[in-house]
Amino acid sequence: MFTSTRSQARGASAVVTFVTPSERQRVDALTNGRCVAVHRENLEQVLRDLRTNRVSAVIVSVSRYQQQYAPSVARMVREFPQVPAVALLTASETRTPAALLSLGEHGVRTLVDARDPAGWRTLRTLVSSEAPRDIEALAISTLRQDLDGASASSVRFFDTLFTVPRSMTTVQQLARHIGVVPTTLMSRFLRHGVPTPKRYLAAARLVRAAHLLENPGFSITQVAFLMEYSSPQSFSRHVTGILQVGAAEFRRRYTGESMLQAMRSSLVLPYLEQLRHFDPFASPPQWLSRPGSDVESELVSTNAAD
């Protein structure tokens, strides 16, 4: 079974399946150690998982698919267009052509023909690699291009913003994750004239949130909890404080990619020269890291979730 929404948001994503018992065994073997495979007995359960957990792909068996499932499949594809839906073909039956036609008509665009061993290798690649629309992978790739020639330490910081768990909501947590004293991290940004790590972390979280909200099946409340905000109100305050728009307008105005562009235009591109010569993990002078300094005071009040 899946864990709760907030617990699942902390962990790895899952592949949810509606497949036959024999296909389950093969899928389990493919996903072992890569992600969580969750098998469901009906498509309503699959839809519930999509609304409440982090799902990277849905696999629907052609052998299990019946025409009466068409409305659920259409709804799944319509409400969660960012989650790849894969039709899995492992046997040829009289009804196979009709099932394949129906799945395609209702929005399933990827077919894996596993009647040949090469098909299982294809499926392994699909469930093991980053999805083509994965916003974290896109952000990392785009920011690395922006920071071409920058120090490895600077690139590492921006990579980290999009690889840490969604539950990492504060600069204190981020600093501990990368093994740096929080005041040290803060002081380096202040001394080099670049925006604070709080602003970078907050923007990265909004990129992820905007990407989730591209799926009509997610409510703002669900995304707030998936992103580990303390409440939908906290999420709304966070959006308003950064972008001066409410959560509903944020959803209408931004996709994951456009929010990434907003982050780049305000926090990255204007500071390229500084960032290319920036080592955010270097130790600051002792006078900047002593208790009671302005850096420490600002850090104590920093909470990217609120």
Side-chain angles (χ1 to χ4, degrees):
M1 294 181 63
F2 260 162
T3 56
S4 66
T5 297
R6 294 177 71 91
S7 297
Q8 178 64 17
R10 297 185 181 97
S13 60
V15 172
V16 179
T17 80
F18 176 60
V19 297
T20 66
S22 61
E23 290 167 341
R24 288 184 179 187
Q25 295 178 6
R26 296 297 300 269
V27 172
D28 284 338
L30 292 178
T31 58
N32 184 33
R34 298 177 177 87
C35 58
V36 179
V38 180
H39 306 296
R40 294 307 189 196
E41 291 300 323
N42 60 66
L43 288 172
E44 286 304 312
Q45 292 176 331
V46 174
L47 280 166
R48 184 170 64 247
D49 289 335
L50 285 165
R51 295 188 188 102
T52 58
N53 296 283
R54 187 179 181 185
V55 176
S56 60
V58 175
I59 301 174
V60 177
S61 169
V62 176
S63 296
R64 287 203 69 179
Y65 180 80
Q66 302 288 338
Q67 189 59 41
Q68 64 264 31
Y69 299 137
S72 294
V73 169
R75 185 176 183 182
M76 177 181 73
V77 173
R78 181 178 66 252
E79 294 189 357
F80 297 93
Q82 301 300 328
V83 180
V86 180
L88 177 62
L89 176 63
T90 59
S92 297
E93 306 170 22
T94 303
R95 46 176 295 278
T96 296
L100 287 172
L101 180 60
S102 180
L103 284 164
E105 287 178 340
H106 292 93
V108 178
R109 297 289 178 257
T110 302
L111 169 66
V112 172
D113 186 348
R115 292 172 298 179
D116 182 272
W120 290 108
R121 291 193 291 272
T122 299
L123 187 62
R124 179 188 294 111
T125 300
L126 286 173
V127 302
S128 301
S129 62
E130 297 284 359
R133 297 182 182 180
D134 185 282
I135 194 64
E136 288 86 358
L138 175 63
I140 289 170
S141 173
T142 302
L143 293 172
R144 284 187 175 186
Q145 292 179 30
D146 290 339
L147 297 169
D148 183 39
S151 68
S153 182
S154 186
V155 173
R156 174 189 166 199
F157 172 77
F158 284 95
D159 285 358
T160 301
L161 291 175
F162 291 96
T163 56
V164 293
R166 294 172 181 169
S167 57
M168 197 159 292
T169 63
T170 69
V171 174
Q172 294 99 319
Q173 293 170 329
L174 176 65
R176 295 187 186 102
H177 175 79
I178 59 182
V180 179
V181 175
T183 50
T184 297
L185 186 65
M186 282 290 298
S187 66
R188 294 300 293 176
F189 282 79
L190 293 175
R191 290 180 64 217
H192 282 79
V194 295
T196 65
K198 173 185 177 179
R199 292 183 62 190
Y200 286 112
L201 179 59
R205 284 166 55 70
L206 287 185
V207 171
R208 287 170 141 180
H211 183 67
L212 288 175
L213 287 169
E214 291 179 47
N215 295 291
F218 278 137
S219 68
I220 291 174
T221 296
Q222 288 168 327
V223 168
F225 287 133
L226 282 170
M227 289 302 303
E228 293 286 336
Y229 289 88
S230 58
S231 68
Q233 293 75 22
S234 173
F235 174 60
S236 184
R237 288 195 301 271
H238 186 214
V239 171
T240 301
I242 294 175
L243 300 172
Q244 288 73 56
V245 300
E249 180 62 22
F250 171 69
R251 179 174 206 160
R252 287 190 293 269
R253 186 177 298 184
Y254 291 96
T255 64
E257 290 191 32
S258 65
M259 187 62 220
L260 174 61
Q261 295 310 312
M263 175 183 178
R264 293 175 64 229
S265 64
S266 62
L267 298 177
V268 179
L269 299 180
Y271 302 96
L272 281 181
E273 190 61 31
Q274 296 97 312
L275 290 172
R276 287 194 177 113
H277 301 89
F278 181 41
D279 183 354
F281 307 128
S283 298
Q286 291 184 354
W287 65 268
L288 271 177
S289 59
R290 69 177 184 270
S293 68
D294 291 340
V295 170
E296 185 167 348
S297 298
E298 182 175 350
L299 182 60
V300 169
S301 64
T302 296
N303 187 323
D306 293 328

